[in-house]
Amino acid sequence: MKTLFSFIAFFLFTAFISFSQGTIRGKVTDENGEVIFSAKVYLKKDKTQRSYTDLDGMYSISVKDASGDTMYVTNNADYDTIVIPVHPQNNEIIVLNFSMTVAGKAIKVLTGAVVTARRATKGTDNYMDKVKENSATTLDYVSAGTMTKTGDPNVAAATARVSGVSTNGAGLITVRGIGDRYVKTMLNGSRIPTLDPLTNNIKLDIFPASLIDNIIITKTASPELPGDWSGAYISVETKDYPNKLEVNVDTQFGYNAQTSFKDVITSQRSGTDWMGFDNGLRNRQDVPITSPNLTPSTYQEMVALGLGDYYSKLGITGWTDGSNQSDTYFRLGLVQLGLLPKAQINDNAAYLNAKNEFNSTYKQEAFGKINPNGTDYGNGFANNWNTIQRKAPLNSAQSFSIGSQDSLFGKPLGYLIGFRYNNSIRYDPNGISQRVGAQELNFPFDVKDNAQISRQTHGWSGLVNLAYKLNSKNKVALMFMPNFTGTNDVANFSTMPDHTSYQEGRTQQTQFYEQRKQMIYQAKSEHYITKAKTKVDFNASYTQGNSIAPDFKVIQYDFVKNNDTISQYTFSPSAGDGIRRYYRYLNENILDTRMSAEMPLGDSTSKLVRKLKYGGAFLRTDRKSDFNEFYLIDGNNTAKDQLSNGDIDAYLNPDKFIMTNGKLDFAYAERDFARNHTYGYSSTKAFFTILDYELKKSIRFSGGLRVEQAKIFSDVDEYHRLGYARNDLRRENLGGFPLVNAANINEVNFLPSANLIYKLI
């Protein structure tokens, strides 16, 4: 924390130094909106104050004389020189952007200019309209300006405003009816984890609108884009640093007449839920999973009574009750226990008497040794099944950001530091749905579902963006963005047949909490090779992501209703299926790197866009998934009994999980399958080339080829470790499902694409 404060203090100090000096900054482009590199910008009175535009077409001049001056913008003989009077005041930062025209051997004298900030306008509709106009692909966008006007809290809500885009309310989107594997979402053009085991689509609600400049949705293919999408390619662009010191503080509160300050359904919460993650409250205690043996075999009973060594010496390590050998082995055991005389081992009457005495006395003793009294079979689970009520607070969001351009070691440094925290709650106390012919519930009539549903979300995001210009030809940038989101979904469903003569219903409660974390690191560098007139870009992104769903609880039971009074509760069809707990752990790390080079074709002063772009990319994804399921063992068929008043906590009292006098009501057991623990990775190497060529102002062609080598591997941890071959029968085919084989793909694909644009001008 001390380091963080020192970091902020440093930037506040440098911002103050920058603010104490007059500065003129801006961007220089040509008529097509393309940046002009190495254009000269200087002052008439003080010729020592000069600047050359960099790779982004940006320049910056410090102004010491506040009495007024004349500024020149020139680029040798290629473009007309621009001359403009400037009158900066002390400590003032002026931002002037220029569009240069092809040389007509004239001097353009401007008497004034619109003061705009390049990095501020990046988040406006005007800037994005220009990007859309100059793009060689079909795209839509949502700008930061639009998100500010509409009050959208996150990217998911903002993206849903685009024509053809819809959201399911959980942060997942579809474009033109296409979703999941056909939609790819990037952050600044780089891949980030989905953090979902069931979909390839990213929940966009993790990105707060206040830290985003714009959202670009590309709908047509291009060789520079990955080849594994067809619906939409979405790039979420984070905020860039401003041209001068900007400090933004924003606080929002939202009131919902149905929710705010009302009692809403929820579950027990940990002390860190408000920070977007669980502090361990929902985790099971770290104790070994033990299960009672409620139906021991005859061999297990004999071993518990001390006859293990006896059978071992005879070479007997067990038998199956009811088999041909079981009767003989059992008789031998009765002889050793003194219940059956050795001379009468084949006397059936004596054997039946010995067997009855064993069942009445010794069997209970064996059961007690196999399952000792006082053994707790709760296995570390908390008795927190019932949902609770709490007052819902106001929805709120707070954000803060500071950014500027300063000088570090005599070189320009741009920075932006941002933070946003939000909490929200949605609640529907009267959800109703109708289902026709609900035979899946064993009800012969139509049913009506009544539901109470709530969703509480807490999350925070940060953003640190730094850009350092080594010189006019070389620039580096670093970005760090942490995201933490915790979502608590709670629901009570009550199902009643929509028929007056049939009054049996069903109740289901679910409690699902998910915490998602992403730690995103990105680096970018831009370089200009003068002799080759080539601009080279390098991008690298690494994201550590994980999603944890601790203790997803589902409980279901039936009831009978007479004259609006519920008289009986019964778990159905059994305790094990009616009471379940799930734990899910998902780790996903992604490395995404790209390098591209762009060079002009033909005369640099041409008014037509003509350029060649080529490059390569490497993408590596590693994913580890673990899923644990626990269910309830009904020790004494208690789950078939009446559930008094529907009180689940009392019904599942921890005392009922302790073996007492040879009896046990309930026990937790694990249903573990090898297929619930998997690992996989994918890697993609790509090379591409693009020709972007305007035949004339109204006709533009953009197309090329992308070549991708894709390697994908995924397998069950245990099967891979043990080296099971494909179609090995040990690869579980429980329940009639196919064998769980490893996925192993290695192939090369050639992906050509082309766009032909005709402009009505």
Side-chain angles (χ1 to χ4, degrees):
M1 185 62 69
K2 181 178 179 181
T3 303
L4 176 62
F5 281 121
S6 300
F7 185 69
I8 295 175
F10 166 75
F11 280 112
L12 289 174
F13 173 75
T14 56
F16 173 78
I17 296 299
S18 173
F19 190 71
S20 66
Q21 299 176 357
T23 305
I24 301 176
R25 294 172 178 162
K27 181 178 182 180
V28 180
T29 62
D30 63 16
E31 295 172 288
N32 296 319
E34 299 285 333
V35 301
I36 297 178
F37 173 72
S38 198
K40 182 179 180 181
V41 183
Y42 62 93
L43 297 177
K44 181 179 180 180
K45 289 184 179 180
D46 186 2
K47 292 184 174 58
T48 61
Q49 295 301 313
R50 65 170 65 93
S51 176
Y52 292 89
T53 55
D54 61 14
L55 296 168
D56 296 319
M58 301 299 296
Y59 71 90
S60 178
I61 295 179
S62 298
V63 182
K64 300 178 181 178
D65 185 2
S67 62
D69 206 332
T70 301
M71 188 169 75
Y72 288 79
V73 182
T74 182
N75 188 30
N76 299 325
D78 294 342
Y79 296 90
D80 288 334
T81 299
I82 296 175
V83 180
I84 181 172
V86 290
H87 303 280
Q89 302 299 314
N90 288 330
N91 304 334
E92 183 180 14
I93 296 177
I94 297 178
V95 182
L96 299 177
N97 297 334
F98 300 101
S99 178
M100 303 187 75
T101 57
V102 177
K105 296 184 179 179
I107 296 179
K108 294 176 62 178
V109 180
L110 305 181
T111 57
V114 178
V115 178
T116 57
R118 172 250 179 187
R119 290 179 175 83
T121 55
K122 186 178 178 182
T124 66
D125 286 350
N126 290 335
Y127 177 86
M128 290 307 303
D129 280 338
K130 191 66 175 178
V131 171
K132 185 174 182 179
E133 178 183 344
N134 293 328
S135 174
T137 58
T138 301
L139 58 85
D140 282 318
Y141 67 86
V142 181
S143 68
T146 298
M147 288 185 279
T148 300
K149 293 176 184 177
T150 58
D152 294 321
N154 54 57
V155 169
T159 307
R161 298 183 182 277
V162 177
S163 177
V165 179
S166 59
T167 179
N168 67 353
L172 299 175
I173 69 167
T174 60
V175 180
R176 296 176 294 187
I178 301 175
D180 195 25
R181 61 183 293 185
Y182 303 106
V183 175
K184 295 297 179 184
T185 304
M186 312 289 169
L187 184 70
N188 298 321
S190 295
R191 191 70 58 90
I192 54 177
T194 64
L195 297 184
D196 195 302
L198 303 176
T199 179
N200 204 29
N201 207 335
I202 293 176
K203 294 181 178 180
L204 294 178
D205 55 1
I206 64 174
F207 299 115
S210 62
L211 299 181
I212 302 302
D213 254 341
N214 50 63
I215 307 161
I216 302 175
I217 305 173
T218 304
K219 298 181 179 179
T220 54
S222 177
E224 63 184 323
L225 303 180
D228 57 350
W229 66 277
S230 60
Y233 178 89
I234 302 173
S235 183
V236 179
E237 303 292 321
T238 57
K239 281 190 177 296
D240 205 350
Y241 59 89
N243 271 305
K244 53 185 178 180
L245 179 64
E246 288 186 5
V247 179
N248 296 301
V249 179
D250 181 39
T251 298
Q252 299 178 7
F253 292 93
Y255 175 79
N256 187 320
Q258 182 172 275
T259 305
S260 300
F261 307 125
K262 303 290 181 63
D263 286 331
V264 301
I265 186 174
T266 185
S267 61
Q268 295 183 26
R269 305 191 309 157
S270 76
T272 57
D273 273 20
W274 68 275
M275 297 178 65
F277 62 91
D278 177 84
N279 67 356
L281 173 72
R282 296 174 176 87
N283 287 336
R284 185 181 68 87
Q285 295 180 22
D286 189 17
V287 297
I289 293 292
T290 57
S291 298
N293 188 348
L294 301 178
T295 56
S297 66
T298 308
Y299 171 76
Q300 290 171 330
E301 292 172 336
M302 288 297 185
V303 171
L305 293 173
L307 299 185
D309 290 340
Y310 168 75
Y311 283 115
S312 180
K313 291 178 181 179
L314 296 177
I316 301 171
T317 58
W319 64 78
T320 302
D321 289 341
S323 63
N324 293 332
Q325 301 87 356
S326 63
D327 183 71
T328 300
Y329 296 154
F330 183 51
R331 290 173 186 251
L332 291 174
L334 294 177
V335 171
Q336 294 299 313
L337 294 174
L339 299 177
L340 180 65
K342 183 182 298 185
Q344 297 179 323
I345 191 171
N346 293 318
D347 186 327
N348 287 333
Y351 166 66
L352 290 177
N353 289 332
K355 182 177 180 180
N356 289 335
E357 186 175 354
F358 175 86
N359 289 335
S360 63
T361 305
Y362 288 82
K363 191 177 186 71
Q364 184 176 354
E365 179 185 348
F367 184 88
K369 291 182 177 181
I370 295 172
N371 303 286
N373 284 335
T375 302
D376 186 353
Y377 293 102
N379 286 328
F381 289 104
N383 184 24
N384 53 0
W385 287 96
N386 265 332
T387 56
I388 60 176
Q389 299 278 332
R390 69 180 289 258
K391 294 288 184 184
L394 291 173
N395 295 341
S396 65
Q398 292 78 38
S399 62
F400 167 82
S401 67
I402 178 173
S404 184
Q405 289 188 62
D406 296 300
S407 179
L408 180 64
F409 306 121
K411 306 292 184 181
L413 171 69
Y415 67 89
L416 176 73
I417 302 173
F419 177 84
R420 177 182 170 87
Y421 171 82
N422 71 282
N423 70 280
S424 65
I425 182 168
R426 292 184 293 171
Y427 177 57
D428 184 358
N430 300 304
I432 298 177
S433 64
Q434 193 84 7
R435 281 190 280 174
V436 179
Q439 284 83 6
E440 74 275 10
L441 298 177
N442 298 317
F443 295 151
F445 306 105
D446 299 346
V447 300
K448 180 185 294 184
D449 290 328
N450 300 309
Q452 292 178 290
I453 305 173
S454 75
R455 165 170 287 186
Q456 302 172 67
T457 302
H458 299 86
W460 64 270
S461 298
L463 178 65
V464 178
N465 208 339
L466 303 175
Y468 191 61
K469 186 164 68 174
L470 302 174
N471 51 53
S472 62
K473 298 180 182 180
N474 298 280
K475 175 183 175 183
V476 296
L478 301 174
M479 193 277 288
F480 170 59
M481 187 176 194
N483 286 311
F484 287 78
T485 303
T487 304
N488 191 19
D489 290 309
V490 181
N492 279 353
F493 297 95
S494 179
T495 301
M496 282 297 297
D498 193 14
H499 198 280
T500 55
S501 64
Y502 195 85
Q503 293 298 308
E504 181 179 342
R506 179 167 294 176
T507 291
Q508 178 175 301
Q509 296 180 1
T510 61
Q511 300 176 42
F512 177 77
Y513 180 86
E514 181 187 20
Q515 62 185 56
R516 288 175 285 155
K517 180 180 73 172
Q518 288 186 340
M519 306 295 284
I520 306 171
Y521 309 86
Q522 293 187 348
K524 177 182 180 181
S525 67
E526 301 176 24
H527 312 276
Y528 186 80
I529 303 174
T530 305
K531 291 185 178 180
K533 296 183 179 180
T534 300
K535 180 181 177 182
V536 179
D537 292 338
F538 174 78
N539 294 270
S541 174
Y542 181 71
T543 303
Q544 295 174 306
N546 68 60
S547 169
I548 301 175
D551 201 9
F552 169 30
K553 294 187 283 289
V554 179
I555 189 166
Q556 179 178 290
Y557 54 87
D558 291 351
F559 60 85
V560 176
K561 186 176 181 181
N562 295 315
N563 299 322
D564 296 327
T565 301
I566 297 177
S567 60
Q568 182 180 4
Y569 298 84
T570 306
F571 283 98
S572 176
S574 68
D577 290 330
I579 302 177
R580 302 180 300 281
R581 307 177 90 133
Y582 304 97
Y583 292 76
R584 188 192 74 201
Y585 306 90
L586 175 65
N587 290 288
E588 186 174 6
N589 300 326
I590 293 182
L591 172 66
D592 189 358
T593 61
R594 309 183 308 280
M595 186 174 68
S596 64
E598 182 181 298
M599 58 184 299
L601 298 176
D603 188 356
S604 63
T605 63
S606 173
K607 295 183 178 182
L608 301 176
V609 175
R610 293 176 176 176
K611 54 188 175 182
L612 179 68
K613 190 173 184 178
Y614 53 91
F618 175 76
L619 173 68
R620 167 82 184 205
T621 302
D622 292 273
R623 173 183 279 201
K624 178 71 175 69
S625 178
D626 292 285
F627 180 80
N628 302 99
E629 177 184 356
F630 300 90
Y631 64 101
L632 210 62
I633 295 175
D634 180 11
N636 297 317
N637 205 28
T638 308
K640 304 296 184 182
D641 298 338
Q642 180 174 332
L643 174 62
S644 176
N645 299 322
D647 188 348
I648 304 300
D649 285 341
Y651 186 68
L652 299 177
N653 188 293
D655 291 341
K656 295 185 177 182
F657 291 83
I658 298 176
M659 183 68 69
T660 305
N661 297 325
K663 294 183 178 181
L664 181 70
D665 290 330
F666 300 115
Y668 283 112
E670 183 175 10
R671 183 179 285 132
D672 192 21
F673 301 106
R675 63 172 178 261
N676 291 343
H677 309 278
T678 62
Y679 165 75
Y681 71 86
S682 67
S683 67
T684 303
K685 298 176 182 178
F687 302 92
F688 68 89
T689 181
I690 307 172
L691 175 64
D692 191 356
Y693 199 87
E694 277 189 345
L695 300 174
K696 54 183 181 178
K697 291 301 292 183
S698 60
I699 301 178
R700 182 178 180 181
F701 170 83
S702 177
L705 177 67
R706 183 181 184 90
V707 181
E708 287 188 348
Q709 181 192 33
K711 293 183 179 180
I712 302 175
F713 176 82
S714 180
D715 198 6
V716 173
D717 292 346
E718 181 181 351
Y719 302 162
H720 182 63
R721 184 179 67 254
L722 297 175
Y724 290 171
R726 186 174 182 82
N727 294 325
D728 189 312
L729 294 180
R730 291 171 293 182
R731 284 182 167 271
E732 276 183 2
N733 61 341
L734 300 178
F737 290 100
L739 293 173
V740 183
N741 284 316
N744 196 351
I745 299 173
N746 185 357
E747 59 183 36
V748 177
N749 294 288
F750 296 86
L751 307 170
S753 62
N755 293 286
L756 184 63
I757 302 171
Y758 179 73
K759 295 182 180 179
L760 298 175
I761 57 175

